[in-house]
Amino acid sequence: MIKSLTGLVLRAVVVLFGTALATFTLLWNAPGDPAQAIAMARFDALLTEDVINQVREETGLNTNFWSAFMAWVGPLLTLDFGRSSVTGREVWPDLLTAIRYMIPLALGGLVIGLAISLSLAIIATNRPGGLLDRFAVAVASLGTAIPAYWLGLLLILLFAVHLAWLPAMGARTPSHVILPALTLGLGVAASLTRIIRSGILEARGQQFLPAIRRRGVSKKEISRDHIAPHAAIPVVTVFGLELAFLLEGVVMVEVIFGRPGLGTFLVAAIEARDFPQVQAVVVLTALIFVTVNLIIDVIYRVIDPRIGESNA
Amino acid sequence: MRSVFVIAGILFLLAVFGPFLAPHDPTAINIPNRLSPPGSAYLLGTDMLGRDILSRLLYGARWSLGLAFLISLIGLVVGTLIGLLAALGGKLTDWTVMRVTDTFLAFPDLVAAVVIAGLLGSGTWSLIFALSVTGWMRYARVARGIGLSLQSRGYVIQAKLAGLNNRSIARWHYLPWLLPTLTVVWTSMFARAILGISALGFLGFGVQPPMPEWGTMLLDARIHLRSTPLQMIWPGLAVVISVIVINLAGDILRDAVATERDQA
Amino acid sequence: MLKVDHVWVRRGAGFALRNISLSLFPGKTLAVVGESGAGKSTLIATILDLVKPWKGEITWAGASVQTCSPGLVMQEPRAAFNPVLSLRQSVLEPIVARNEDMPHERIKRLSDSLELSLEIFDRYPGEISIGQAQRVAILRALIAAPPLVLLDEPLSALDAVIQKHTAKLISDLQQEEGFAAMIVTHDLGYAMAYADEIAVIKSGGIEEVSTPQTFAKESKSGYSRLLMEAAMALGALEPSA
């Protein structure tokens, strides 16, 4: 167990290093001057050619890729993201503001998505193969084909333009979060319904359950020892998948609804070629993802010891 | 079931021959006729520059579907090669290759594509690069998984014993078993590429105006949501229909592959 | 000469093979007998370098076994052929891999000895009987004229009648070709009839090595006696043998 955990952590570190390397390669090759970007990220004052040249020398950007990479990755290890190369402001506070805006949207989307997909899946599995089941599956696969940006526009058209029930653009009042969260939630629901549905069907179909029930094991024990672990694996998997889905959805949904948040922050940073801001989002996201996946892998091994053996 | 393939065929034909059916030049600007409603002259109306929406949709199929086809194919080739390398290259190669794959999976692929396409500068090439670089990992994992399971097959052991090189083993003993499953993966990656292209187009990082691409068309239409809401229906519908048809075709293929495997 | 020199192979916390030493001279037949799970297949895999020994080494004429490109006949003849390739493609693999000229003469001769018609090579593995498939497999193992051939339960997938016949064909071919054969089998009768030497293997270790004659008369270990009695009870061995 300890050995496989060390392996997992080592793997996570390697992956993080790889992400950093890939990001830097991208910045290194992107049009624009990374030295200028770094210089701006570091100093408040307006930049002269001298300062930029000095930075170029200091960071090894005038030398070669690897020394430049080492100079670049150093501050990131302490999560020091520096300053924006456009506004000169510190990256962290703006990033935190963006995340603060994103959280109600992401949570709202997740809650709506879970509510819809759970009820759809439960209704569907009531009679597997029945009319309702096929309807639910069809709706779900239709849902996965509808891109968030189009769904968002359709919802705006219906609820904001025609019915004028809800505000569409911006984030001024709490009700501004409803339409974006609904857009996100419908997407989440579409991707979750099938997984939850087959999870329920599989957990129910475990053939040994009647046998151990007859052996006198109590219902409570069966739920705790057999159904719950079995159902927990898909839930954990889904959590990992949904995290990716949520982040992608958030980017699109925030842009559609002109809502401040991590997605708009990222897109604006890319458009302004604000490298420090872009790399802050990338590094932070990668860190969160790798950590979550690491935790998920550990949970897998705790729930189901077979996984560690086959994967090691 | 057959109807799915008929529709898929029609989509394919539209992507190839659509431009010949287009009544107007998709980039011809005609300001006096801007934002005109659907009518006899412009079947689906015109956009904010007076360009015929139907013609743009038809030309757009070439961008949206054609590029998606290309991107999913690049992913198929690259991913399969990487997966085979991992399966055949020994333990160390396998570990290294799989960590590289993990690295690319450590990030939501669409967000990664946005960052890459955006930073490399908007345009078709960076779009292709961004979506290909973020779209090979599933192929690689599938190819590696099947490859590893083939390792203990009698004929693979015999081929190694015969001194066949890894390239020939991959070609003759691995590829035939990979292709059915990889085709199924390909359909879903094709659908993903369509969604990715239009998403990037919608964000302004994809195919650049005046080229008609469905996502870019949606971006244009969004501004005039209130005055001419129909404008945004068409490109979205085109994306959704394409994706549904491809997903359905993929489901049918998957069932066919599964049945064949069960029989074998 | 094949030399297996104090070989240990790990499996989990224990050992799949423990301190195995064997030798096999050119032209001779060594039968390795034991029940399933005794480590017979692991031994073959180790000789073929598919499994790495933990200790000890295996050589052919002083060099690694790979240098003599040994032939291998497997237990499941069908599984040994890629179903999507014609038998010709499979059989010729060792030749193609070495960029050698097509040995038409040799194929003809081996086919005659193995009672195979030449048109069979245009067919696919699914289109021939298991007995035919095993003979094609033997042909493939021999096509590049290896000095060493490993046979892993070559008869156990075949019907009883074909078993005897195939055993005879293998033995006749060995007379013609002069290769060293290592036959792994759980069939003591087969081993007694055709081997020059019999090695009994049990839970990864060698119980005894002897010629069939001495084996029948004065088997040293109790386990070998047990094997013999079991074989006699099934009628595989005549009590007088």
Side-chain angles (χ1 to χ4, degrees), chain C residues 15 17 27 34 43 48 69 150 192 211:
Chain C
F15 290 96
L17 295 180
L43 179 59
L48 293 174
S69 319
L150 305 165
M192 299 281 272
T211 61

Side-chain angles (χ1 to χ4, degrees), chain C residues 60-78:
Chain C
W60 174 263
S64 85
V65 176
Q66 273 66 42
T67 54
C68 79
S69 319
L72 171 67
V73 178
M74 297 165 152
Q75 180 171 1
E76 289 297 332
R78 283 257 177 71

Side-chain angles (χ1 to χ4, degrees), chain B residues 137-175:
Chain B
M137 293 83 77
R138 263 183 68 195
Y139 296 110
R141 292 202 142 186
V142 168
R144 169 183 177 266
I146 300 179
L148 289 182
S149 74
L150 289 172
Q151 252 177 3
S152 54
R153 294 278 171 97
Y155 49 85
V156 174
I157 293 175
Q158 288 285 0
K160 281 188 183 154
L161 216 59
L164 221 59
N165 59 24
N166 278 344
R167 231 181 74 201
S168 306
I169 293 180
R171 163 71 188 81
W172 296 108
H173 297 296
Y174 280 33
L175 214 51

